[in-house]
Amino acid sequence: MLIYTLILKPLLTYASPIWAHAARSNINLIEISQNVILRQILDAHWYMRKADIRSALKIPTIRQTIRKLAINFFSNIDGHENPSIQAISTYPTYPFIRRTRDILVDPDFN
């Protein structure tokens, strides 16, 4: 688990604030990689559920991790002192437009 936590998880979540607006199918590919890695680390049998493996190891899903990292990233940008970063306009969100890619606004994206 130490290898997963120190090496593999940062590789899977690299640039995750950008992935927060990716399509669900793309995030599913990353989550599949996480499931395969955890199954190989534990040498788990094929009939063991992915949710049971993650809950036994107390590891959140990639979607939950990406959402947490993206929220922290975007909240830190608001208070940044760099004038170039302050000059960037905010990303407009429109609740009446169905944006399935918006992980930060869509509370059902789990």
Side-chain angles (χ1 to χ4, degrees):
M1 288 313 305
L2 189 60
I3 292 172
Y4 173 79
T5 312
L6 293 176
I7 299 172
L8 298 173
K9 183 179 174 185
L11 287 174
L12 291 174
T13 58
Y14 178 74
S16 61
I18 307 306
W19 295 348
H21 298 287
R24 291 181 192 212
S25 59
N26 294 333
I27 294 177
N28 285 343
L29 293 173
I30 300 167
E31 194 159 293
I32 288 169
S33 300
Q34 178 196 30
N35 294 332
V36 168
I37 290 168
L38 292 176
R39 192 173 292 278
Q40 288 177 350
I41 288 173
L42 292 178
D43 195 24
H45 296 287
W46 62 270
Y47 52 83
M48 295 179 73
R49 292 179 45 205
K50 296 173 280 199
D52 292 339
I53 292 172
R54 281 194 310 269
S55 67
L57 297 174
K58 298 178 182 156
I59 293 177
T61 64
I62 286 293
R63 289 182 180 159
Q64 294 168 342
T65 305
I66 288 174
R67 183 178 196 149
K68 179 182 170 188
L69 291 172
I71 289 171
N72 288 339
F73 176 78
F74 288 117
S75 65
N76 288 338
I77 285 180
D78 293 336
H80 205 278
E81 298 174 1
N82 188 335
S84 299
I85 292 176
Q86 290 177 350
I88 298 173
S89 62
T90 59
Y91 179 76
T93 56
Y94 305 106
F96 54 86
I97 297 176
R98 298 186 66 124
R99 293 181 187 247
T100 58
R101 297 178 178 202
D102 202 352
I103 194 171
L104 298 176
V105 177
D106 189 6
D108 297 328
F109 193 84
N110 289 324

